[in-house]
Amino acid sequence: MKAKTLEQALADDIEEVLLNSEDIKCRVAELGRQISEDYKGKDLVLVGILRGAFVFLADLIREMSISAETDFIAISSYGSSSTTSGVVRILKDLDEDIEGRHVLIIEDILDTGLTLNYLLKNLSSRRPESLEICSFIVKEGKQSVKINLKYLGYTVPNRFVVGYGLDYAQRYRNLPFIGTLKPHVYEEDET
Ligand code: IMP
């Protein structure tokens, strides 16, 4: 597959921009301020879920006025298609010990909730002082398990979205906005 420039991807493949980069920047700044207030004076570890959350986490941490450690965990949930596999497993574990520390999970998107449900159980067994979630996006009406979010960026309609770290078949992560794909993108992959 030949890599496309941002302009080409936008012109050829994006159906609709749901969240533009200016709005995202403002919202992430608000979240950064709120998290800084709430965790002031606390030993905070941000746990980014790879791969999708790396863009959000990188922007968020630079909007925070308190210091926080960063760690990453890689979880498998989707293959290269746009439907959930239902199988959750750890591909890369945390490097740090989180026992007795305040942990804030940074997630790109909450869809069925299976990934976070699994992760909450797994990480809480390591006895952190607190364990909360900050998700950039929640998909409306899709959750099969109830997940409580301490922080949320946006709610979007139940459609497959790409950009700002989110991919389709490992592409489009670098788009600075959140958008939906034209049907031909999926159709080409099926042929
Ligand atoms: P869940 O376990 O169904 O909540 O899925 C969460 C994970 O699936 C996210 O961390 C994403 O990696 C991926 N995912 C879910 N919906 C989308 C989407 O619309 N675009 C891209 N990735 C998605």
Side-chain angles (χ1 to χ4, degrees):
M1 172 83 46
K2 243 177 89 193
K4 291 188 180 189
T5 63
L6 279 183
E7 287 73 22
Q8 276 172 330
L10 185 54
D12 299 351
D13 301 346
I14 298 300
E15 187 166 64
E16 193 186 341
V17 174
L18 299 180
L19 305 170
N20 67 40
S21 58
E22 289 82 43
D23 291 343
I24 291 174
K25 196 170 171 14
C26 290
R27 186 71 190 114
V28 173
E30 281 171 7
L31 289 170
R33 270 195 300 275
Q34 190 61 55
I35 292 168
S36 302
E37 266 175 41
D38 296 349
Y39 286 92
K40 205 171 178 179
K42 292 187 173 157
D43 176 22
L44 174 63
V45 188
L46 301 180
V47 170
I49 307 184
L50 295 174
R51 294 175 223 177
F54 78 100
V55 174
F56 176 41
L57 193 149
D59 283 349
L60 184 66
I61 200 165
R62 284 176 294 172
E63 297 290 351
M64 287 169 48
S65 57
I66 56 167
S67 66
E69 272 186 34
T70 315
D71 204 345
F72 290 95
I73 192 163
I75 301 276
S76 75
S77 50
Y78 285 94
S80 58
S81 74
S82 56
T83 50
T84 185
S85 67
V87 179
V88 180
R89 81 198 152 93
I90 294 182
L91 304 174
K92 181 229 165 275
D93 207 344
L94 296 179
D95 293 323
E96 304 299 324
D97 187 358
I98 56 167
E99 184 169 352
R101 311 184 69 187
H102 294 277
V103 174
L104 183 60
I105 298 172
I106 309 295
E107 174 63 309
D108 50 5
I109 190 164
L110 176 63
D111 187 14
T112 63
L114 290 174
T115 306
L116 280 173
N117 191 44
Y118 167 82
L119 208 59
L120 281 173
K121 281 193 196 134
N122 184 297
L123 295 185
S124 62
S125 73
R126 306 181 197 196
R127 305 200 299 175
E129 176 71 26
S130 69
L131 181 60
E132 302 284 356
I133 301 167
C134 171
S135 185
F136 181 60
I137 288 176
V138 164
K139 258 193 229 178
E140 216 165 39
K142 265 298 284 294
Q143 287 74 60
S144 54
V145 278
K146 169 119 184 67
I147 303 284
N148 290 318
L149 300 175
K150 184 163 172 132
Y151 307 98
L152 168 63
Y154 292 98
T155 301
V156 300
N158 180 14
R159 294 161 72 185
F160 194 82
V161 291
V162 294
Y164 203 64
L166 290 162
D167 74 304
Y168 171 68
Q170 298 308 325
R171 288 176 280 146
Y172 309 104
R173 290 193 199 273
N174 59 329
L175 297 176
F177 54 81
I178 293 282
T180 55
L181 290 170
K182 291 180 182 166
H184 78 84
V185 178
Y186 306 108
E187 285 153 15
E188 279 161 20
D189 279 5
E190 279 162 17
T191 53

